[in-house]
Structure formats: C-alpha cells, structure tokens
Amino acid sequence: MYELIVVLSAKLEEEERAAVIANVTGYIARFGGTVTNVEESGKKRLAYEIQKMREAFYYFIQFEGNSETPNELERQLRITETVIRYLIVKVK
C-alpha cells in the first residue's frame, strides 16, 4: 500500500481541483494501481512560500499497486503544472 500527498495551487477553483485529482486517480488506475481512499485536507498555510503562494490545498490518496505504479505516477505528477508538491511513501 502507498500513500500519496498532493499539494495543489490555491488559485484553482473547486472544479479544477476535482479534475486534477480525477486525473491523478486515473493515472494510478492506468499504471496498475487501485485507489482505496481519497481525503481532502483543505486549504492550509505552507511552511514556506512556493511559486509566490503562501497557501495551498492538500490531498491524501491511499492506493495499492505494483512496484512500477509509484514510479510512473511520479513521472506524470512531475509534469502536471497545477501540482506544486507531491510525496509518495510506501506504508508498511
């Protein structure tokens, strides 16, 4: 099982954020994974300014997949402009 933390731009409207998260869960499914939980943590203050933003939206996504799923997902997240930061960790 893996956990993905996605930080999205605070400038995005609710529909745009939903579309980005739908794309992310779509990537997980396309690369052989299964999403088990998606949790929106809401708008929070960043520890430091990123791209001239002080706040961002946080999402926690739990998923299962093979060893290639996180690698392929990371490749896609890296080129997604609306994703400010992300972190994928393996849960034991």
Side-chain angles (χ1 to χ4, degrees):
M1 173 165 305
Y2 297 92
E3 255 185 19
L4 165 65
I5 300 149
V6 181
V7 181
L8 299 180
S9 170
K11 297 175 184 174
L12 296 176
E13 296 297 323
E14 188 172 343
E15 299 85 26
E16 294 170 310
R17 292 193 314 269
V20 171
I21 295 303
N23 285 343
V24 171
T25 56
Y27 292 144
I28 292 170
R30 184 167 50 171
F31 300 128
T34 307
V35 176
T36 56
N37 188 26
V38 178
E39 181 181 325
E40 180 181 354
S41 194
K43 191 177 201 179
K44 296 185 182 216
R45 187 167 172 81
L46 297 169
Y48 54 91
E49 193 173 284
I50 302 172
Q51 298 174 3
K52 298 183 180 178
M53 287 182 267
R54 296 202 174 275
E55 293 182 322
F57 288 96
Y58 285 73
Y59 289 85
F60 298 93
I61 301 172
Q62 293 178 333
F63 66 96
E64 295 185 20
N66 59 32
S67 60
E68 285 301 310
T69 305
N71 296 337
E72 295 295 329
L73 180 59
E74 187 172 333
R75 237 185 48 209
Q76 292 297 324
L77 289 173
R78 201 176 299 131
I79 60 174
T80 306
E81 292 180 17
T82 54
V83 174
I84 299 172
R85 293 284 190 272
Y86 63 89
L87 177 66
I88 301 173
V89 292
K90 186 171 185 166
V91 179
K92 294 185 180 187

